[in-house]
Every structure is written in C-alpha cells, then in structure tokens.
Amino acid sequence: MNAKAVGRLAPSPTGAMHLGNVRTFMIAWLRSRAAGGRVILRIEDLDHPRDKPGAAAQAVEDLRWLGFDWDEEYVQSERIGLYRDALDRLLAAGLAYPCVCSRRDVAAAQSAPHAGEQLRYPGTCRGRFSSWAEAAAAKGGAPCWRFRTPPDAVVTFDDVFAGRFSQDVASALGDFPLARDENGAGYTLAVVVDDAAMGVTEVVRGDDLLPATPAQILVQRALGLPEPAYCHVPLVVGPDGLRLAKRHGDTRIATFRREGMRPEAVIGRLAATCGWAETGERLSLVDLLPRFDLATVPHAPIMI
Ligand code: GLU
C-alpha cells in the first residue's frame, strides 16, 4: 500500500444506508486514506427496478454526516457509453452473446443446486442468435448478455483479507451474465469497466461478492484491464446469523441521526467490531486513521 492507493465506495441505491454497509465503507475508506490515498464515490444505480428514488441522495447525505469524504464522484447511469464500448469489444472478440433463458430454465438444467449456490449456465444460447434484437424477438422480452467462459478458466487470486481464493469459473458458473441491458449497463460489466477507468487499486467490499470475483477477473483479462487488489470483509449479520436486514431492527443511519445520535457514536460502535475501539468509545473516521489495522478485524460474520 502506498499513497497511490485508490479506493472506492460503491453504494447501490436499492435501500437505506445501515450499520452493515457502513461498516464495509468504513474499512474501504480507511484502507485508502490511512495510506494517504484517494477515495472515489460511485453510485451504482443500474439495478432497475430495485433502485429506489431518493436513495442515492440519502446515501450521500448519510455518508457525509458520518464523516466520509471523497475526491471524485460518479454515477453509473451517466456512463453507459463506456459499458457499450466494452461490450462491443467483447462481442468483436466473440466473448459475449445474448441469452433468452430464464432463471427457471437455468435451474431446471442443473440437477440439484444447493441452497444459496450460484447457478451454472450450461451455454444453451451459445451461438443461437446473431444479435440482441433477434434474441429479444425470440423471447418477446429482454434477453441478457452472457460471457463466453473458456473451458479452462480457473482463476486464483490472493484476497488481502480472505486469503487465496480459487474458482473454476467454467464449472462453477459457466457462461455468467454480464448485464441485463442491451448496452451492457449491468453490474458485472460496469464494475469491471469502472474500477479500471477510475484507476481503482483497492476493492474493499462484503464477502458475499467473493465468489463473483473470479468472473470479474475473467472480464478484466478479456478487456486487457489491470487487476485491483481485492479485500472481502465479512458481512454484518443479525442474531439469526443472516445478513443484517429490516427484520433485525432499525439500524438505518437516517434513523440514528433523527434520534439525535452523534456520528462518532456510530463510527465508534463499528470501530469496536474491528478491534479499533473500546465499547462505548466515540470516534470520528479521522481519529481511526492511526488505528486502522486489518489484522484485528475478525474473520467470522459480525453480529451487531
Ligand atoms: N454496489 C454494490 C453493493 O452495494 C457493491 C459492488 C462492489 O463493491 O463491487 O452491494
């Protein structure tokens, strides 16, 4: 790590900012800032119709209130031309194709998928359509773009927090989706294009995305883009061990704020879960700069 580190905060405006996502953002911000590096805010608003009106502005307000700052700000829905260019390059290389299969079709082709397991796509639509328009007409609805995964696509990388991770993408996922949008404006393609375009060197995010990372690395390689360092940290879970959600009570930042809680109390509470503060200690993000240390962050899911 050095002062050239570029990290990013990439909220999806699909819901409110809460203790779970803020903990990950705190680690992401500190990892770059503690090294004297830069931070980018990127609003990932391509997930229609899950995106909620007003959620992006609320996320920015919550982050500022908590003491986050950043050097550049981007909104993915304003960058569709870049995703289109990347998609065209993949198409020209024969590495993308439109697919009309539904999730149910894919599940039916897989004999016994285990709970929570990602679906492996068997390549049904490979070579089937010559264009998106042809696929859309055959489906009578929107197809998706898939990546043509090579048969020997074993990807291994050293995650800064989670350690070495290896996946045979062909047997784990098969031809995975790049985007559900004609111009390629979807999560997998956009995250790869943007991390490279923004010079991101440090990807810090929840470890639910660890199994999706090898696919992203394949897309990076296909486009000739550099590979950032990955740091996947455990998610915050409720007492039932499931990812923090509404049913676990209201941990929205906007609610804490309305109730008169100070940002230092929120940050202090989250810092305590990383081994950087005593219980009840109040701290700003800046106070945490000298205390930041990934080595004290527990590897088990965090209960709040
Ligand atoms: N926007 C994604 C989320 O909020 C994060 C994606 C990423 O960090 O790559 O879950």
Side-chain angles (χ1 to χ4, degrees):
M1 287 289 287
N2 56 40
K4 294 206 172 69
V6 180
R8 46 41 158 217
L9 313 174
S12 295
T14 51
M17 199 66 84
H18 55 75
L19 287 180
N21 41 29
V22 170
R23 182 178 186 273
T24 304
F25 289 146
M26 174 180 78
I27 299 171
W29 187 90
L30 286 167
R31 179 156 168 84
S32 289
R33 288 293 195 226
R38 297 187 312 120
V39 174
I40 283 166
L41 176 74
R42 182 168 78 221
I43 305 293
E44 301 208 324
D45 60 343
L46 299 178
D47 193 5
H48 319 296
R50 288 180 60 231
D51 289 343
K52 299 209 174 60
Q58 183 69 55
V60 171
E61 208 179 309
D62 290 345
L63 287 169
R64 285 205 195 283
W65 179 77
L66 287 163
F68 286 91
D69 66 354
W70 46 87
D71 306 290
E72 291 165 45
E73 191 171 322
Y74 300 94
V75 179
Q76 285 191 322
S77 58
E78 295 170 358
R79 301 170 56 79
I80 292 174
L82 286 166
Y83 314 138
R84 179 76 236 182
D85 289 348
L87 176 65
D88 286 340
R89 289 176 55 205
L90 294 176
L91 286 168
L95 289 172
Y97 64 87
C99 163
V100 298
C101 298
S102 65
R103 202 181 153 77
R104 187 188 289 185
D105 297 334
V106 181
Q110 184 164 350
S111 49
H114 299 285
E117 193 180 282
Q118 288 175 303
L119 290 176
R120 180 185 178 279
Y121 184 66
T124 319
C125 287
R126 260 194 193 201
R128 213 171 139 193
F129 303 105
S130 60
S131 69
W132 174 270
E134 192 190 324
K139 182 164 182 173
C144 77
W145 290 110
R146 287 188 183 272
F147 184 78
R148 185 187 282 264
T149 303
D152 52 352
V154 178
V155 175
T156 302
F157 66 99
D158 289 309
D159 190 277
V160 172
F161 188 81
R164 178 155 292 193
F165 189 79
S166 197
Q167 186 186 67
D168 178 343
V169 182
S171 63
L173 306 180
D175 292 350
F176 54 86
L178 288 164
R180 298 184 184 284
D181 170 86
E182 181 172 3
N183 290 311
Y187 171 65
T188 299
L189 190 55
V191 76
V192 167
V193 167
D194 277 348
D195 282 339
M198 297 168 190
V200 169
T201 64
E202 311 299 319
V203 172
V204 179
R205 58 188 179 189
D207 63 8
D208 54 327
L209 286 167
L210 187 58
T213 304
Q216 295 177 14
I217 292 174
L218 281 186
V219 179
Q220 264 156 21
R221 290 180 187 166
L223 291 168
L225 301 175
E227 187 177 318
Y230 288 100
C231 176
H232 288 90
V233 295
L235 294 178
V236 176
V237 298
D240 52 4
L242 297 174
R243 182 189 196 145
L244 200 63
K246 274 195 195 127
R247 66 178 172 283
H248 297 120
D250 193 348
T251 71
R252 285 175 297 177
I253 302 309
T255 306
F256 292 144
R257 191 171 161 186
R258 208 169 43 239
E259 288 171 349
M261 195 162 172
R262 297 303 307 153
E264 292 79 10
V266 180
I267 296 296
R269 183 170 167 193
L270 292 172
T273 71
C274 296
W276 305 329
E278 300 298 328
T279 307
E281 207 176 345
R282 292 176 175 230
L283 293 154
S284 69
L285 283 171
V286 171
D287 295 332
L288 288 174
L289 288 169
R291 301 192 190 189
F292 173 73
D293 182 7
L294 276 182
T296 62
V297 177
H299 281 255
I302 302 304
M303 200 105 70
I304 279 203

